[in-house]
Amino acid sequence: GNISANISNSPIAIAEGRGEILTPLKIDRSYTLLLIKPSISIPTAWAYEKLGSRVRGQGSKAELTKTGDKIDNINLIYNALKTGDTSFLKARIHNDFEDAVIEEYPVIGSLKGKLLNAGASMAIMSGSGSTVFGLFEDRDKAVSASKQFSSHWNRVVETLI
Protein backbone atom coordinates (compact mmCIF):
# COMPACT_ATOMS: atom_id res chain seq x y z
CA GLY A 1 0.00 0.00 0.00
CA ASN A 2 0.94 3.65 -0.24
CA ILE A 3 1.78 6.00 2.58
CA SER A 4 -1.27 6.40 4.73
CA ALA A 5 -2.23 8.83 7.47
CA ASN A 6 -1.93 6.13 10.13
CA ILE A 7 1.59 5.00 9.23
CA SER A 8 2.82 6.90 12.30
CA ASN A 9 0.85 4.44 14.47
CA SER A 10 3.01 1.57 13.23
CA PRO A 11 6.57 1.05 14.47
CA ILE A 12 7.53 -0.97 11.43
CA ALA A 13 6.77 -0.87 7.74
CA ILE A 14 8.00 -2.46 4.56
CA ALA A 15 9.59 0.24 2.40
CA GLU A 16 9.60 -0.15 -1.37
CA GLY A 17 10.53 1.99 -4.33
CA ARG A 18 12.88 4.68 -3.08
CA GLY A 19 11.44 4.36 0.38
CA GLU A 20 8.29 6.32 -0.46
CA ILE A 21 5.96 3.30 -0.65
CA LEU A 22 5.31 2.14 2.90
CA THR A 23 3.20 -0.79 4.04
CA PRO A 24 2.68 -0.68 7.83
CA LEU A 25 3.01 -3.92 9.79
CA LYS A 26 1.37 -4.46 13.15
CA ILE A 27 3.61 -5.15 16.12
CA ASP A 28 2.44 -4.69 19.70
CA ARG A 29 5.78 -4.89 21.50
CA SER A 30 8.39 -2.19 21.72
CA TYR A 31 12.06 -2.59 20.85
CA THR A 32 15.08 -0.52 21.74
CA LEU A 33 17.54 0.44 19.03
CA LEU A 34 20.90 2.14 19.38
CA LEU A 35 21.67 4.12 16.23
CA ILE A 36 25.24 5.16 15.50
CA LYS A 37 26.22 7.53 12.71
CA PRO A 38 29.97 7.84 12.15
CA SER A 39 31.26 11.11 10.72
CA ILE A 40 31.80 9.57 7.28
CA SER A 41 29.20 9.93 4.56
CA ILE A 42 28.72 7.17 2.04
CA PRO A 43 27.39 8.45 -1.29
CA THR A 44 24.43 6.29 -2.31
CA ALA A 45 25.46 6.32 -5.98
CA TRP A 46 28.95 5.12 -5.02
CA ALA A 47 27.49 2.30 -2.89
CA TYR A 48 25.28 1.08 -5.75
CA GLU A 49 28.16 1.25 -8.23
CA LYS A 50 30.50 -0.60 -5.86
CA LEU A 51 27.88 -3.26 -5.24
CA GLY A 52 27.27 -3.66 -8.97
CA SER A 53 30.98 -3.93 -9.80
CA ARG A 54 31.49 -6.55 -7.07
CA VAL A 55 28.70 -8.66 -8.53
CA ARG A 56 30.03 -8.27 -12.08
CA GLY A 57 33.61 -8.99 -10.98
CA GLN A 58 32.94 -11.99 -8.78
CA GLY A 59 30.04 -13.66 -10.55
CA SER A 60 28.00 -16.02 -8.42
CA LYS A 61 30.26 -15.53 -5.38
CA ALA A 62 28.90 -12.00 -4.95
CA GLU A 63 25.27 -12.55 -5.90
CA LEU A 64 22.72 -10.16 -4.52
CA THR A 65 19.99 -11.49 -2.30
CA LYS A 66 17.26 -12.71 -4.66
CA THR A 67 13.84 -11.05 -4.46
CA GLY A 68 12.18 -14.21 -3.12
CA ASP A 69 14.83 -14.49 -0.41
CA LYS A 70 14.35 -10.82 0.46
CA ILE A 71 10.62 -11.41 0.96
CA ASP A 72 11.42 -14.49 3.08
CA ASN A 73 13.87 -12.42 5.14
CA ILE A 74 11.34 -9.65 5.66
CA ASN A 75 8.76 -12.21 6.82
CA LEU A 76 11.37 -13.85 9.08
CA ILE A 77 12.29 -10.51 10.68
CA TYR A 78 8.64 -9.48 11.01
CA ASN A 79 7.67 -12.76 12.71
CA ALA A 80 10.67 -12.53 15.03
CA LEU A 81 9.74 -8.99 16.06
CA LYS A 82 6.05 -9.86 16.37
CA THR A 83 6.69 -12.87 18.64
CA GLY A 84 9.65 -11.37 20.50
CA ASP A 85 11.99 -14.22 19.55
CA THR A 86 14.85 -12.24 18.01
CA SER A 87 17.71 -14.48 19.15
CA PHE A 88 18.35 -16.03 15.73
CA LEU A 89 18.27 -12.79 13.72
CA LYS A 90 21.98 -12.06 14.22
CA ALA A 91 22.92 -15.09 12.12
CA ARG A 92 20.19 -14.64 9.52
CA ILE A 93 19.89 -11.00 8.49
CA HIS A 94 22.13 -9.49 5.84
CA ASN A 95 22.54 -6.18 4.03
CA ASP A 96 23.87 -6.64 0.48
CA PHE A 97 25.73 -3.32 0.69
CA GLU A 98 27.76 -4.20 3.78
CA ASP A 99 30.66 -6.16 2.28
CA ALA A 100 31.39 -3.52 -0.36
CA VAL A 101 31.00 -0.63 2.10
CA ILE A 102 33.08 -2.23 4.88
CA GLU A 103 35.89 -2.88 2.39
CA GLU A 104 36.16 0.87 1.80
CA TYR A 105 34.96 2.09 5.23
CA PRO A 106 36.15 -0.44 7.86
CA VAL A 107 34.64 1.68 10.65
CA ILE A 108 31.23 0.24 9.70
CA GLY A 109 32.38 -3.32 10.46
CA SER A 110 34.04 -2.10 13.64
CA LEU A 111 30.83 -0.44 14.84
CA LYS A 112 28.82 -3.59 14.13
CA GLY A 113 31.29 -5.67 16.15
CA LYS A 114 31.27 -3.20 19.04
CA LEU A 115 27.46 -3.19 19.12
CA LEU A 116 27.37 -6.99 19.33
CA ASN A 117 30.07 -7.01 22.02
CA ALA A 118 28.06 -4.41 23.94
CA GLY A 119 25.07 -6.75 24.10
CA ALA A 120 23.05 -6.04 20.96
CA SER A 121 20.96 -9.01 19.83
CA MET A 122 21.82 -8.05 16.26
CA ALA A 123 23.61 -5.23 14.44
CA ILE A 124 23.37 -4.16 10.82
CA MET A 125 24.09 -1.21 8.57
CA SER A 126 21.01 0.73 7.53
CA GLY A 127 20.51 0.94 3.77
CA SER A 128 23.68 2.00 1.96
CA GLY A 129 25.12 3.47 5.16
CA SER A 130 26.65 5.01 7.06
CA THR A 131 24.28 4.57 10.02
CA VAL A 132 24.59 1.27 11.89
CA PHE A 133 22.08 0.12 14.48
CA GLY A 134 21.85 -2.52 17.16
CA LEU A 135 18.72 -4.15 18.59
CA PHE A 136 18.76 -4.34 22.39
CA GLU A 137 16.56 -6.29 24.77
CA ASP A 138 16.09 -3.33 27.07
CA ARG A 139 16.64 0.41 27.16
CA ASP A 140 19.10 0.36 30.08
CA LYS A 141 21.43 -1.97 28.21
CA ALA A 142 21.27 0.27 25.12
CA VAL A 143 21.89 3.45 27.13
CA SER A 144 24.86 1.81 28.84
CA ALA A 145 26.22 0.63 25.47
CA SER A 146 25.79 4.11 23.95
CA LYS A 147 28.54 5.43 26.24
CA GLN A 148 31.06 3.40 24.20
CA PHE A 149 30.14 5.40 21.09
CA SER A 150 30.55 8.95 22.41
CA SER A 151 32.92 9.83 19.54
CA HIS A 152 30.06 9.26 17.07
CA TRP A 153 26.55 10.67 16.86
CA ASN A 154 24.33 8.12 18.59
CA ARG A 155 20.81 7.84 19.84
CA VAL A 156 18.73 5.31 21.76
CA VAL A 157 15.23 5.04 20.35
CA GLU A 158 12.13 2.99 21.15
CA THR A 159 9.96 1.63 18.37
CA LEU A 160 6.78 2.18 20.42
CA ILE A 161 6.30 4.91 22.98
Side-chain angles (χ1 to χ4, degrees):
N2 289 328
I3 296 176
S4 60
N6 61 0
I7 189 73
S8 61
N9 296 332
S10 177
I12 187 171
I14 294 175
E16 297 172 276
R18 294 183 175 174
E20 79 282 10
I21 303 167
L22 299 175
T23 303
L25 301 174
K26 183 157 176 50
I27 291 182
D28 296 324
R29 45 181 89 228
S30 185
Y31 289 92
T32 303
L33 304 174
L34 171 53
L35 284 69
I36 302 162
K37 166 77 173 78
S39 58
I40 60 166
S41 290
I42 300 170
T44 303
W46 173 89
Y48 273 96
E49 173 54 36
K50 195 76 171 171
L51 184 61
S53 63
R54 283 176 68 89
V55 172
R56 287 189 300 273
Q58 297 179 23
S60 62
K61 287 190 282 184
E63 271 186 31
L64 296 179
T65 305
K66 292 178 175 57
T67 303
D69 291 340
K70 285 181 184 170
I71 293 166
D72 290 344
N73 287 339
I74 290 168
N75 287 329
L76 180 84
I77 293 166
Y78 176 49
N79 287 327
L81 294 175
K82 195 172 179 180
T83 62
D85 182 11
T86 59
S87 58
F88 61 92
L89 286 179
K90 177 167 54 175
R92 293 289 306 271
I93 64 164
H94 173 74
N95 179 339
D96 285 335
F97 285 106
E98 277 187 2
D99 292 341
V101 169
I102 289 171
E103 195 174 274
E104 186 80 15
Y105 301 96
V107 66
I108 301 297
S110 171
L111 290 174
K112 280 186 62 178
K114 281 180 72 174
L115 278 165
L116 293 171
N117 288 338
S121 303
M122 54 153 273
I124 195 165
M125 183 177 74
S126 177
S128 57
S130 65
T131 300
V132 176
F133 67 92
L135 174 70
F136 284 81
E137 289 174 21
D138 62 64
R139 184 177 178 80
D140 290 343
K141 195 183 269 192
V143 169
S144 175
S146 72
K147 294 174 174 60
Q148 297 180 35
F149 301 97
S150 57
S151 62
H152 304 287
W153 178 92
N154 69 80
R155 178 144 314 144
V156 175
V157 297
E158 303 281 335
T159 58
L160 283 176
I161 299 174

